[in-house]
Coordinates of all heavy atoms in Angstrom, one line a residue:
E87 N -1.0 -18.2 -15.2 CA -0.9 -16.7 -15.4 C 0.5 -16.3 -15.4 O 1.0 -15.5 -16.2 CB -1.7 -16.0 -14.4 CG -3.2 -16.1 -14.5 CD -4.0 -15.5 -13.4 OE1 -3.4 -15.1 -12.3 OE2 -5.2 -15.3 -13.6
A88 N 1.3 -16.7 -14.4 CA 2.7 -16.3 -14.3 C 3.5 -16.8 -15.6 O 4.2 -16.0 -16.1 CB 3.3 -17.0 -13.1
G89 N 3.2 -18.0 -16.0 CA 3.9 -18.5 -17.2 C 3.6 -17.7 -18.4 O 4.4 -17.3 -19.2
A90 N 2.3 -17.4 -18.6 CA 1.8 -16.6 -19.8 C 2.4 -15.2 -19.8 O 2.7 -14.6 -20.8 CB 0.3 -16.6 -19.8
A91 N 2.6 -14.6 -18.6 CA 3.1 -13.3 -18.5 C 4.7 -13.2 -18.4 O 5.3 -12.2 -18.3 CB 2.5 -12.6 -17.2
G92 N 5.3 -14.4 -18.3 CA 6.8 -14.4 -18.2 C 7.3 -14.0 -16.9 O 8.3 -13.4 -16.7
K93 N 6.5 -14.2 -15.8 CA 6.8 -13.8 -14.5 C 7.1 -15.0 -13.6 O 6.7 -16.2 -13.9 CB 5.6 -13.1 -13.8 CG 5.2 -11.8 -14.5 CD 4.0 -11.2 -13.8 CE 3.6 -9.9 -14.5 NZ 2.5 -9.3 -13.9
R94 N 7.9 -14.8 -12.6 CA 8.1 -15.9 -11.6 C 6.9 -16.1 -10.8 O 6.1 -15.2 -10.4 CB 9.2 -15.5 -10.6 CG 10.6 -15.3 -11.3 CD 11.7 -14.9 -10.3 NE 11.5 -15.5 -9.0 CZ 12.1 -15.1 -7.9 NH1 12.9 -14.1 -7.9 NH2 11.9 -15.7 -6.7
L95 N 6.6 -17.4 -10.6 CA 5.4 -17.8 -9.8 C 5.3 -17.1 -8.5 O 4.3 -16.6 -8.1 CB 5.3 -19.3 -9.7 CG 4.1 -19.8 -8.8 CD1 2.8 -19.4 -9.4 CD2 4.2 -21.3 -8.6
S96 N 6.5 -17.1 -7.8 CA 6.5 -16.5 -6.4 C 6.1 -15.0 -6.5 O 5.4 -14.5 -5.7 CB 7.8 -16.7 -5.8 OG 8.9 -16.1 -6.5
D97 N 6.6 -14.3 -7.5 CA 6.3 -12.8 -7.6 C 4.8 -12.7 -7.9 O 4.1 -11.8 -7.3 CB 7.1 -12.2 -8.8 CG 8.5 -12.1 -8.5 OD1 9.0 -12.4 -7.3 OD2 9.3 -11.7 -9.4
H98 N 4.2 -13.5 -8.7 CA 2.8 -13.4 -9.1 C 1.9 -13.8 -7.8 O 0.9 -13.1 -7.6 CB 2.5 -14.3 -10.3 CG 1.1 -14.1 -10.8 ND1 0.5 -12.9 -11.1 CD2 0.1 -15.0 -11.0 CE1 -0.7 -13.0 -11.5 NE2 -1.0 -14.3 -11.5
V99 N 2.3 -14.8 -7.1 CA 1.5 -15.2 -5.9 C 1.6 -14.1 -4.9 O 0.6 -13.8 -4.2 CB 2.1 -16.5 -5.4 CG1 1.5 -16.8 -4.0 CG2 1.7 -17.7 -6.3
L100 N 2.7 -13.4 -4.7 CA 2.8 -12.3 -3.7 C 1.9 -11.2 -4.2 O 1.3 -10.5 -3.4 CB 4.2 -11.9 -3.5 CG 5.1 -13.0 -2.9 CD1 6.6 -12.5 -2.7 CD2 4.6 -13.5 -1.6
H101 N 1.9 -10.9 -5.5 CA 1.0 -9.9 -6.0 C -0.4 -10.2 -5.7 O -1.2 -9.4 -5.2 CB 1.2 -9.7 -7.5 CG 0.4 -8.6 -8.1 ND1 0.1 -8.6 -9.4 CD2 -0.3 -7.6 -7.6 CE1 -0.7 -7.6 -9.7 NE2 -1.0 -6.9 -8.6
L102 N -0.8 -11.4 -6.0 CA -2.2 -11.9 -5.7 C -2.6 -11.8 -4.2 O -3.7 -11.4 -3.9 CB -2.4 -13.3 -6.2 CG -2.4 -13.5 -7.7 CD1 -2.4 -15.0 -8.1 CD2 -3.4 -12.7 -8.5
T103 N -1.6 -12.1 -3.4 CA -1.8 -12.0 -1.9 C -2.1 -10.5 -1.6 O -3.0 -10.3 -0.8 CB -0.6 -12.5 -1.2 OG1 -0.3 -13.9 -1.5 CG2 -0.7 -12.4 0.3
V104 N -1.2 -9.6 -2.0 CA -1.4 -8.2 -1.7 C -2.8 -7.8 -2.2 O -3.5 -7.1 -1.5 CB -0.3 -7.4 -2.3 CG1 -0.6 -5.9 -2.2 CG2 1.0 -7.7 -1.7
H105 N -3.1 -8.1 -3.4 CA -4.4 -7.8 -4.1 C -5.6 -8.3 -3.2 O -6.5 -7.5 -2.9 CB -4.5 -8.4 -5.5 CG -5.7 -8.0 -6.2 ND1 -5.7 -6.8 -7.0 CD2 -6.9 -8.6 -6.4 CE1 -6.9 -6.7 -7.6 NE2 -7.6 -7.8 -7.3
G106 N -5.5 -9.5 -2.8 CA -6.6 -10.1 -1.9 C -6.7 -9.4 -0.6 O -7.8 -9.1 -0.1
V107 N -5.6 -9.1 0.0 CA -5.6 -8.4 1.3 C -6.2 -7.0 1.2 O -7.0 -6.6 2.0 CB -4.2 -8.4 2.0 CG1 -4.2 -7.5 3.2 CG2 -3.8 -9.8 2.4
L108 N -5.8 -6.3 0.1 CA -6.4 -5.0 -0.1 C -7.9 -5.0 -0.3 O -8.7 -4.2 0.2 CB -5.7 -4.3 -1.3 CG -4.3 -3.9 -1.0 CD1 -3.7 -3.3 -2.3 CD2 -4.2 -2.9 0.1
H109 N -8.4 -6.1 -0.9 CA -9.9 -6.3 -1.0 C -10.5 -6.4 0.4 O -11.5 -5.9 0.7 CB -10.2 -7.5 -1.9 CG -10.3 -7.2 -3.3 ND1 -11.1 -6.2 -3.9 CD2 -9.7 -7.8 -4.4 CE1 -10.9 -6.2 -5.2 NE2 -10.1 -7.2 -5.5
L110 N -9.8 -7.2 1.3 CA -10.3 -7.3 2.6 C -10.4 -6.0 3.4 O -11.3 -5.8 4.2 CB -9.5 -8.3 3.5 CG -9.4 -9.7 3.1 CD1 -8.5 -10.5 4.0 CD2 -10.8 -10.3 3.0
L111 N -9.5 -5.1 3.0 CA -9.5 -3.8 3.6 C -10.5 -2.8 3.0 O -10.6 -1.6 3.4 CB -8.1 -3.2 3.6 CG -7.1 -3.9 4.4 CD1 -5.7 -3.4 4.2 CD2 -7.4 -3.7 5.9
G112 N -11.2 -3.2 2.0 CA -12.2 -2.4 1.4 C -11.9 -1.8 0.0 O -12.7 -1.0 -0.5
Y113 N -10.7 -2.1 -0.5 CA -10.3 -1.5 -1.8 C -10.9 -2.3 -2.9 O -11.2 -3.5 -2.7 CB -8.8 -1.5 -1.9 CG -8.1 -0.6 -1.0 CD1 -7.7 -0.9 0.3 CD2 -7.8 0.8 -1.4 CE1 -7.1 0.0 1.1 CE2 -7.2 1.7 -0.6 CZ -6.9 1.3 0.7 OH -6.3 2.2 1.5
D114 N -11.1 -1.7 -4.0 CA -11.7 -2.4 -5.2 C -11.2 -1.8 -6.4 O -10.5 -0.8 -6.4 CB -13.3 -2.3 -5.1 CG -13.9 -3.5 -5.7 OD1 -13.3 -4.2 -6.5 OD2 -15.1 -3.8 -5.3
H115 N -11.6 -2.4 -7.6 CA -11.1 -1.9 -8.8 C -12.2 -1.9 -9.9 O -11.9 -2.0 -11.1 CB -9.9 -2.8 -9.3 CG -10.1 -4.2 -9.2 ND1 -10.9 -5.0 -10.0 CD2 -9.7 -5.1 -8.2 CE1 -10.9 -6.2 -9.6 NE2 -10.2 -6.3 -8.5
D116 N -13.4 -1.7 -9.5 CA -14.5 -1.6 -10.4 C -14.5 -0.3 -11.2 O -15.0 -0.3 -12.4 CB -15.8 -1.8 -9.7 CG -16.0 -3.2 -9.2 OD1 -15.4 -4.1 -9.7 OD2 -16.8 -3.4 -8.2
K117 N -14.1 0.7 -10.6 CA -14.0 2.0 -11.3 C -12.6 2.4 -11.5 O -11.7 2.0 -10.7 CB -14.7 3.1 -10.4 CG -16.2 2.8 -10.3 CD -16.9 3.9 -9.4 CE -18.3 3.5 -9.2 NZ -18.9 4.0 -8.0
A118 N -12.3 3.2 -12.5 CA -10.9 3.5 -12.9 C -10.2 4.2 -11.8 O -9.0 3.9 -11.5 CB -10.9 4.4 -14.2
R119 N -10.8 5.1 -11.1 CA -10.1 5.8 -10.0 C -9.7 4.8 -8.9 O -8.6 4.9 -8.3 CB -11.0 6.9 -9.5 CG -10.3 7.8 -8.4 CD -11.2 8.9 -8.0 NE -10.5 9.8 -7.1 CZ -11.1 10.9 -6.6 NH1 -12.3 11.2 -7.0 NH2 -10.4 11.6 -5.8
E120 N -10.7 4.0 -8.5 CA -10.4 3.0 -7.5 C -9.3 2.0 -7.9 O -8.5 1.7 -7.1 CB -11.7 2.1 -7.2 CG -12.8 2.9 -6.5 CD -14.1 2.1 -6.4 OE1 -14.2 1.0 -7.0 OE2 -15.0 2.5 -5.7
A121 N -9.3 1.6 -9.2 CA -8.3 0.7 -9.7 C -6.9 1.4 -9.6 O -5.9 0.7 -9.2 CB -8.6 0.4 -11.1
R122 N -6.8 2.7 -9.9 CA -5.5 3.3 -9.8 C -5.0 3.4 -8.4 O -3.8 3.2 -8.1 CB -5.6 4.8 -10.4 CG -5.6 4.8 -11.9 CD -5.5 6.2 -12.5 NE -6.5 7.1 -12.0 CZ -7.7 7.3 -12.6 NH1 -8.0 6.6 -13.7 NH2 -8.6 8.2 -12.1
T123 N -5.9 3.7 -7.5 CA -5.5 3.7 -6.0 C -5.0 2.3 -5.6 O -4.0 2.2 -4.9 CB -6.7 4.2 -5.2 OG1 -7.1 5.5 -5.6 CG2 -6.4 4.1 -3.7
M124 N -5.8 1.3 -5.9 CA -5.4 0.0 -5.5 C -4.1 -0.5 -6.2 O -3.2 -1.0 -5.5 CB -6.5 -1.0 -5.9 CG -6.4 -2.4 -5.3 SD -8.0 -3.3 -5.5 CE -7.5 -4.8 -4.8
E125 N -3.9 -0.1 -7.4 CA -2.7 -0.5 -8.2 C -1.5 0.2 -7.5 O -0.4 -0.4 -7.4 CB -2.8 -0.2 -9.6 CG -3.7 -1.1 -10.4 CD -3.9 -0.7 -11.9 OE1 -3.2 0.2 -12.4 OE2 -4.7 -1.4 -12.5
R126 N -1.6 1.5 -7.2 CA -0.5 2.2 -6.5 C -0.1 1.6 -5.2 O 1.1 1.4 -4.9 CB -0.9 3.7 -6.3 CG -0.8 4.6 -7.5 CD -0.8 6.0 -7.2 NE -2.1 6.4 -6.6 CZ -3.2 6.9 -7.3 NH1 -3.1 6.9 -8.6 NH2 -4.3 7.2 -6.7
L127 N -1.1 1.1 -4.4 CA -0.7 0.4 -3.2 C 0.0 -0.9 -3.5 O 0.9 -1.2 -2.8 CB -2.0 0.2 -2.4 CG -2.6 1.4 -1.7 CD1 -4.0 1.1 -1.2 CD2 -1.7 1.9 -0.6
E128 N -0.6 -1.6 -4.5 CA 0.1 -2.9 -4.8 C 1.5 -2.7 -5.3 O 2.4 -3.4 -4.8 CB -0.7 -3.6 -5.9 CG -2.1 -4.1 -5.5 CD -2.9 -4.6 -6.7 OE1 -2.5 -4.7 -7.8 OE2 -4.1 -5.0 -6.4

């Protein structure tokens, strides 16, 4: 994914880490409003 997006692997892994932790805290992205909230935090 990082290669396809032209991103550094470390940056992408840190993003995935943040994303996963926010899911543990109850955040989700199934609905547009929830996705915007989660993206802003990320």
Side-chain angles (χ1 to χ4, degrees):
E87 290 175 345
K93 297 178 181 179
R94 292 178 38 193
L95 175 60
S96 59
D97 290 353
H98 188 52
V99 167
L100 296 180
H101 179 202
L102 294 173
T103 300
V104 171
H105 186 86
V107 171
L108 290 176
H109 274 307
L110 292 182
L111 291 172
Y113 291 90
D114 213 336
H115 46 79
D116 290 335
K117 296 178 183 156
R119 186 177 185 180
E120 292 174 346
R122 284 190 302 274
T123 299
M124 193 168 177
E125 286 175 9
R126 279 193 296 271
L127 286 168
E128 290 172 4

